[in-house]
Amino acid sequence: MSPTSSRSLHGDLRDLALVAAGAIPGALLRWRFEGIGTAGVGGLRGLVEADFIANMLGCLLMGLVLAQSARRRRLMLWAGIGFCGSLTTFSSWMLQLARALRAGQAWDSLLVLVASLVGGLLLVALGHALGRRRATESTATAAPNPHP
């Protein structure tokens, strides 16, 4: 194995570890949301509502992550791909919508679909704006004032 291959493999393993380290708590949080939804609301409706909350929270967090410097690759791997990726799973969302459709809840399914898409986009934008504002404020307070 060449030194270049070894460094590449080491970097790939580090990246994989970052994604996994974020994915585990993201998946556990989603699992907890579903437990609360099933126990609190009950049945299919509880699962759909839990998925909606998890997805919206993940969208807001993803916006915050996206607002960070592009040089923060490790943050994107850990928080964006790992944590938010496992918290907001498309397959679980589609499964709950398919179950609701089979149960004859077409209008509720359509409402959740539209609210998820529109709400998700709005929350990513909000998270991004909040993250940029925070970055701007921290940069402004860190820079010395040239005119005391």
Side-chain angles (χ1 to χ4, degrees), residues 30 33 48-59 87-88:
R30 181 179 194 89
F33 278 152
V48 170
E49 290 179 12
D51 282 349
F52 181 79
I53 291 168
N55 289 337
M56 295 302 102
L57 175 62
C59 287
L87 176 63
T88 61

Side-chain angles (χ1 to χ4, degrees), residues 1-17:
M1 183 179 282
S2 72
T4 305
S5 300
S6 177
R7 278 186 286 220
S8 177
L9 178 60
H10 177 58
D12 289 346
L13 290 174
R14 184 187 63 235
D15 291 352
L16 178 62

Side-chain angles (χ1 to χ4, degrees), residues 13-122:
L13 290 174
R14 184 187 63 235
D15 291 352
L16 178 62
L18 284 168
V19 171
I24 292 168
L28 290 173
L29 181 58
R30 181 179 194 89
W31 177 57
R32 185 69 186 130
F33 278 152
E34 289 186 353
I36 292 169
T38 302
V41 177
L44 178 61
R45 183 174 178 164
L47 287 174
V48 170
E49 290 179 12
D51 282 349
F52 181 79
I53 291 168
N55 289 337
M56 295 302 102
L57 175 62
C59 287
L60 179 64
L61 294 174
M62 182 57 80
L64 289 168
V65 170
L66 288 172
Q68 303 307 307
S69 168
R71 292 173 282 169
R72 303 211 46 200
R73 184 172 182 273
R74 290 180 181 166
L75 177 66
M76 178 56 78
L77 289 170
W78 178 79
I81 296 171
F83 185 82
C84 291
S86 66
L87 176 63
T88 61
T89 60
F90 186 77
S91 58
S92 291
W93 180 45
M94 289 297 109
L95 175 63
Q96 303 314 332
L97 288 175
R99 286 180 173 168
L101 283 171
R102 270 190 279 162
Q105 300 170 351
W107 286 112
D108 290 344
S109 297
L110 182 61
L111 177 64
V112 169
L113 178 69
V114 171
S116 295
L117 293 173
V118 172
L121 287 171
L122 290 173

